[in-house]
Amino acid sequence: EQSIPMCTMHYYPNTIDHTIHWARDLFSGLFSKPGEEANKFVRDPAGFFKSLEKEENVSVCLQAVENVCSLMIVERPGSIEDCVYWARRQFEDRFSNDIKQLLHIHPLDKLGDDGKLFWSGSKKPPKPLQFDTADPGHMEFVLWATVLFASVYQLPVPDLAQVRDAAIPILQKFQPEPFKPRDVFIPASEGDTKKEAPPP
């Protein structure tokens, strides 16, 4: 299986294979890795932290601890309705806020070092999505993310039709927080390690 550069997969996908790998990576990050790390912590807290001491990458250690805290305390749902709210926030983060952040760092009119538009060639300019309950793709993401998140916590999961009935009134009144740009580095290409200041 041919490896896909992380930069391409996360920021500049341009083939269906890229998006499939992105989705698989997202699934692992939301539903697999955090649960595995939380289980390790529950079974052997001392061993969990000892294993982190061997990890040279500090960001990996911080992410592992954050995953455990998030899964066991911060995001722990008490009902299927809590899972709907979580899934809707995930949609906003992945398909709206992340795209807005990318376009904040690399605007549509940005020029590359060669004087050509940054968003050209294999770099396809993304478009933030606005959630719509009438869009089947939007609803499928939220409903299945709800079911999967509930399953992680072993909550009783009704059939999908009942999940939809519970979700619709929540989704119709949900008001996402306004997007606020962050001071983060998003590479312009694979191997780009230059810290770019975000535009004002």
Side-chain angles (χ1 to χ4, degrees), residues 6 132 134 153 160 179 195-196:
M6 294 295 288
D132 184 357
Y153 287 94
L160 202 61
F179 168 71
K195 173 66 176 177
E196 296 186 14

Side-chain angles (χ1 to χ4, degrees), residues 42-53:
V42 170
R43 287 196 300 266
D44 182 9
F48 172 79
F49 286 108
K50 190 171 184 177
S51 67
L52 293 183
E53 291 176 359

Side-chain angles (χ1 to χ4, degrees), residues 4-58:
I4 297 176
M6 294 295 288
C7 178
T8 298
M9 182 176 71
H10 286 288
Y11 303 116
Y12 313 112
N14 55 76
T15 71
I16 191 65
D17 285 347
H18 295 165
T19 59
I20 290 172
H21 278 77
W22 175 88
R24 189 171 65 179
D25 188 69
L26 177 64
F27 181 94
S28 176
L30 290 179
F31 305 112
S32 298
K33 289 180 182 177
E36 292 170 359
E37 288 162 348
N39 285 334
K40 289 179 183 177
F41 174 79
V42 170
R43 287 196 300 266
D44 182 9
F48 172 79
F49 286 108
K50 190 171 184 177
S51 67
L52 293 183
E53 291 176 359
K54 301 176 183 178
E55 176 58 58
E56 296 181 357
N57 191 329
V58 176

Side-chain angles (χ1 to χ4, degrees), residues 130-149:
Q130 183 172 348
F131 184 82
D132 184 357
T133 55
D135 188 303
H138 298 188
M139 286 298 296
E140 287 289 314
F141 177 89
V142 169
L143 293 178
W144 283 112
T146 296
V147 169
L148 290 168
F149 194 58

